[in-house]
Amino acid sequence: MNQGIDLQGSFIRAMVDLGFSPGVAKTLWLPLPMGVILVAATVSIFVTVWLERKISAAAQQRIGPEYAGPLGTLQAAADGIKLIFKEDITPAKADPWLFTLGPAIVVIPVFLSFLIVPFGQNMVITDIGVGIFLWIALSSIAPIGLLMAGYSSNNKYSLLGGLRAAAQSISYEIPMALAVLAVVLMSNSLSTIDIVNQQSGYGILGWNIWRQPAGFLIFWIAALAECERLPFDLPEAEEELVAGYQTEYTGMKFGLFYVGSYVNLVLSALIVSILYLGGWEFPVSVTWISGLLGISETTPWLQVITAAIGIMMTVFKAYALVFIAILLRWTVPRVRIDQLLDFGWKFLLPVSLVNLLLTAALKLTFPVAFGG
Amino acid sequence: MTLSEGVQLVAFGLLAIMMLGGALGVVLLENIVYSAFLLGGVFLSMSGMFILLNAGFVAAAQVLVYVGAVSVLILFGIMLVNKQQPFLPVKSAWVGKAATGAVCAGLFALLTATVFKTSWAFSPEMPVGDQAIVEIGKHFFTDYLLAFELASVLLLIALIGAIVLARRELIPDTLPGEDESEALQLPERPRQLVSSVAANTSDSDA
């Protein structure tokens, strides 16, 4: 198995050569990938907000932001600076502690989930055994923050929005977890690295989307619902609830909800690309090409190219999905709350159960194709 | 002391403080919403303890089940049933309090006995680490099969009970037409009394 480049190993070896002890070298290494991922996640907000503005403008035959930076790319930065300088108002009858804590609890689990997102064989903060399960667990914390924000605002719209958010998130977590379970069944592991490796070797033909078409759709719908994107943005349905749990928030606390929702969208797209679209795999297997050209897999320059292609492919697939999500948002009307809950419990849940059973049966019947 | 040991020690101290403080807050705070949020915090710090014990899967399951589901449902219940009414003085309330005290003291005594009886020596076996999921799965389907199946049956019963409760729509306490005229009735599905529903369940699914 080609291990690809091992940045951690190389870094620690270089530091040890410079005269540091291995423990100190490891300590110096630890914050680097975390910092890089944090910065990347933050930059992804700007990219996504810009995409959202430009694509929505195109969908409505407008031009969109144009003057802030080239093609309006700095519009999101301008928005952010505006939010930072806005007055931070806590309503007089609100609960100040819960009001402040709510947005933080929504945002922190989202950033924490980047722990398990791999961009290559060794390009992950940590390859823990529970992998994808950790993401499911972390994403279930957010509703507490939403309930906290909704309750502490002391506003009926906020409370209703918070309750809706929690109900929606709980309802769509189950089909999503079942869809993930079907993928895990095929890869025999919860680790995101193993899930991608199980799809590798055959290029685009090996990706899970061909083996799990129903699971892919279920997961994508549930992920959109978890992100509270239109057509599922019931918690902040402005015609009914003003802005749901965000109604009373101003300044950066309000901004945190936005940061959370956009990072969550990018994260969900990344997870979909890992689970169903082969993660960092190029549509044509790089191993196969190098074999055809007669180049050894362990050639250093080939490894660098493979790693670069891996990162680009992961990000490209994720942003292709973000593009679809944005198009959906600006073309599809919102569903009603009863339709939303009916769809989750009466359609997605049975379908995902059937999908799981079918996957188990197929795995027993065709162990070659379904990871025996 | 290496770095990882130091981190573990500090993390253990922080988690212990969070857990004990949160648990005391759950019991002592007047506002029930604070108690519910703090309960979520206690569950979170408990999952941190599991991580320190090399039990990653149990930690994630703890977050998913207790923080993501149980705490949220408790909060949901509190926020939907926002009943503002003063507590009525109950006659001979001390009986209930005494019974609660006795139960709590008994539980505490039992736990203390368990703490002193358990051998806290380190197990010589290596922790299985990431293979824990496989081990847990094997146990579920061999020596813990009965407990596993009983738990699933219990959940099924709760599920069916919730559906039955939720399906019972618009059952008034009084007979229709008893205290309101026909003109004031909204166009709803035909109403049934609880007693008639109970009588009908034998021959039809209400």
Side-chain angles (χ1 to χ4, degrees):
Chain A
M1 189 67 217
N2 174 23
Q3 283 302 306
I5 49 175
D6 182 6
L7 283 179
Q8 179 178 2
S10 319
F11 180 86
I12 290 178
R13 237 169 290 133
M15 289 316 256
V16 170
D17 289 346
L18 279 176
F20 290 98
S21 74
V24 175
K26 187 97 195 281
T27 315
L28 285 175
W29 165 259
L30 278 177
L32 290 181
M34 298 184 205
V36 168
I37 289 289
L38 259 184
V39 170
T42 315
V43 170
S44 80
I45 305 165
F46 293 95
V47 179
T48 319
V49 169
W50 179 74
L51 278 178
E52 177 112 79
R53 284 174 171 276
K54 275 299 191 188
I55 295 168
S56 69
Q60 296 166 349
Q61 302 193 334
R62 294 183 285 115
I63 296 174
E66 203 179 24
Y67 295 108
L71 288 175
T73 37
L74 294 177
Q75 189 62 47
D79 288 349
I81 292 168
K82 180 196 78 173
L83 282 176
I84 288 174
F85 283 108
K86 268 194 167 183
E87 188 189 353
D88 179 28
I89 301 170
T90 308
K93 291 274 181 73
D95 190 316
W97 285 95
L98 296 183
F99 192 77
T100 312
L101 218 59
I105 292 184
V106 176
V107 169
I108 291 170
V110 179
F111 277 92
L112 212 54
S113 304
F114 274 92
L115 208 63
I116 53 127
V117 177
F119 294 91
Q121 181 68 38
N122 290 310
M123 305 268 180
V124 61
I125 296 183
T126 171
D127 177 24
I128 44 175
V130 290
I132 196 76
F133 187 55
L134 181 81
W135 173 66
I136 295 177
L138 283 175
S139 70
S140 73
I141 297 180
I144 290 204
L146 299 180
L147 276 176
M148 210 179 249
Y151 170 81
S152 64
S153 298
N154 203 1
N155 174 327
K156 286 185 177 112
Y157 295 122
S158 298
L159 183 59
L160 276 176
L163 287 176
R164 272 189 182 186
Q168 176 173 335
S169 160
I170 288 182
S171 313
Y172 280 79
E173 219 160 66
I174 302 168
M176 186 152 85
L178 287 173
V180 172
L181 201 58
V183 172
V184 168
L185 206 62
M186 294 198 305
S187 58
N188 294 320
S189 170
L190 288 166
S191 154
T192 41
I193 303 274
D194 291 348
I195 289 174
V196 176
N197 277 335
Q198 176 256 337
Q199 305 174 57
S200 66
Y202 300 97
I204 194 169
L205 295 175
W207 294 356
N208 269 338
I209 186 170
W210 310 119
R211 284 174 280 190
Q212 288 283 332
F216 172 72
L217 285 178
I218 293 166
F219 188 89
W220 181 237
I221 293 170
L224 282 184
E226 291 272 310
C227 294
E228 288 156 18
R229 295 281 300 181
L230 250 154
F232 303 114
D233 72 335
L234 274 297
E236 49 205 87
E238 53 263 34
E239 295 91 341
E240 306 160 35
L241 294 178
V242 189
Y245 53 81
Q246 305 168 352
T247 307
E248 299 286 356
Y249 280 91
T250 55
M252 214 44 218
K253 285 181 194 159
F254 173 76
L256 275 185
F257 283 122
Y258 258 73
V259 167
S261 83
Y262 278 111
V263 177
N264 203 3
L265 179 66
V266 174
L267 177 72
S268 302
L270 279 169
I271 301 271
V272 172
S273 67
I274 288 157
L275 289 180
Y276 295 100
L277 301 177
W280 63 80
E281 291 290 319
F282 196 64
V284 185
S285 171
V286 173
T287 323
W288 183 76
I289 298 177
S290 67
L292 210 65
L293 297 174
I295 305 163
S296 165
E297 271 183 38
T298 47
T299 321
W301 61 266
L302 182 70
Q303 286 192 338
V304 171
I305 290 180
T306 315
I309 288 180
I311 295 174
M312 278 193 273
M313 281 319 291
T314 318
V315 174
F316 172 75
K317 286 168 190 169
Y319 272 100
L321 289 162
V322 168
F323 175 71
I324 296 175
I326 294 174
L327 267 192
L328 275 175
R329 171 167 177 180
W330 294 97
T331 46
V332 179
R334 179 184 298 131
V335 296
R336 282 200 321 262
I337 184 77
D338 60 320
Q339 291 170 333
L340 174 95
L341 293 178
D342 273 2
F343 185 68
W345 288 104
K346 293 184 185 167
F347 180 76
L348 279 189
L349 181 59
V351 169
S352 55
L353 277 172
V354 169
N355 181 47
L356 182 63
L357 279 179
L358 264 181
T359 310
L362 285 170
K363 180 181 161 118
L364 288 177
T365 327
F366 307 108
V368 185
F370 287 86
Chain B
M1 186 192 280
T2 63
L3 182 80
S4 65
E5 279 172 356
V7 169
Q8 282 182 27
L9 192 73
V10 173
F12 176 78
L14 283 179
L15 286 172
I17 292 169
M18 266 174 66
M19 198 147 107
L20 293 178
L24 282 176
V26 172
V27 183
L28 297 178
L29 282 181
E30 290 272 320
N31 190 337
I32 192 169
V33 178
Y34 285 163
S35 297
F37 281 127
L38 276 175
L39 191 64
V42 173
F43 288 143
L44 261 186
S45 28
M46 211 183 279
S47 88
M49 290 284 185
F50 282 129
I51 292 177
L52 285 184
L53 292 170
N54 276 328
F57 180 77
V58 186
Q62 169 89 14
V63 172
L64 181 68
V65 175
Y66 283 95
V67 182
V70 172
S71 291
V72 171
L73 282 184
I74 290 175
L75 282 166
F76 224 79
I78 291 170
M79 288 181 186
L80 284 182
V81 191
N82 188 16
K83 211 170 181 184
Q84 300 277 351
Q85 67 177 34
F87 287 113
L88 295 170
V90 187
K91 269 183 210 166
S92 58
W94 64 272
V95 180
K97 281 179 184 165
T100 316
V103 170
C104 289
L107 266 178
F108 189 73
L110 267 178
L111 284 174
T112 319
T114 323
V115 165
F116 281 116
K117 279 210 137 186
T118 313
S119 140
W120 294 101
F122 283 111
S123 162
E125 288 174 42
M126 281 294 287
V128 280
D130 286 346
Q131 286 302 306
I133 308 163
V134 181
E135 292 299 317
I136 292 171
K138 277 180 189 159
H139 279 301
F140 269 161
F141 285 98
T142 50
D143 44 351
Y144 288 99
L145 183 65
L146 183 69
F148 182 61
E149 293 291 330
L150 277 181
S152 62
V153 169
L154 186 73
L155 285 178
L156 184 69
I157 293 170
L159 196 69
I160 295 174
I163 291 171
V164 168
L165 283 178
R167 273 180 66 91
R168 206 174 50 178
E169 292 172 26
L170 293 170
I171 297 164
D173 291 318
T174 51
L175 273 170
E178 203 173 83
D179 52 0
E180 55 182 323
S181 67
E182 288 284 325
L184 283 175
Q185 283 181 9
L186 290 169
E188 290 165 346
R189 63 158 57 188
R191 300 184 187 190
Q192 281 177 307
L193 279 179
V194 180
S195 54
S196 61
V197 171
N200 284 339
T201 39
S202 54
D203 47 18
S204 71
D205 287 333

